[in-house]
Amino acid sequence: MLFNKLQNSKWTSLKKYNGWYHYQVLNIYKKDKKVEMFAVCNKEVKIFISIYDLKDKLEWIQGWKDILD
């Protein structure tokens, strides 16, 4: 996964993080191999995710997708 393509990319989590599914990449930390993301519906909610976790299709889907509870 190229770091440049991650900037501002949109993601859907298959489980809720802090009450939300849809996130967008805010910052990329290449040295730590992590990204900072914010919840699209509440920009104050931020999480840090390993780039390796984003590659896991059982945890994250690229783009914003509908999730049925």
Side-chain angles (χ1 to χ4, degrees):
M1 184 175 296
L2 298 174
F3 288 109
N4 297 344
K5 292 189 177 201
L6 284 176
Q7 190 63 45
N8 297 319
S9 62
K10 296 152 182 76
W11 295 84
T12 301
S13 172
L14 296 179
K15 65 177 183 177
K16 284 186 180 181
Y17 281 93
N18 298 324
W20 303 102
Y21 289 108
H22 299 103
Y23 284 84
Q24 186 169 344
V25 174
L26 180 63
N27 291 307
I28 301 168
Y29 299 96
K30 294 179 185 179
K31 182 178 176 184
D32 296 329
K33 295 187 173 48
K34 290 186 178 184
V35 294
E36 179 182 16
M37 304 173 85
F38 66 88
V40 176
C41 294
N42 183 351
K43 292 183 170 56
E44 293 178 10
V45 175
K46 295 183 179 151
I47 60 173
F48 289 88
I49 298 292
S50 162
I51 290 172
Y52 302 111
D53 288 342
L54 281 182
K55 288 182 178 183
D56 187 346
K57 305 251 187 268
L58 297 176
E59 290 190 40
W60 291 93
I61 301 169
Q62 191 164 14
W64 293 331
K65 309 294 182 195
D66 288 333
I67 299 293
L68 302 175
D69 279 330

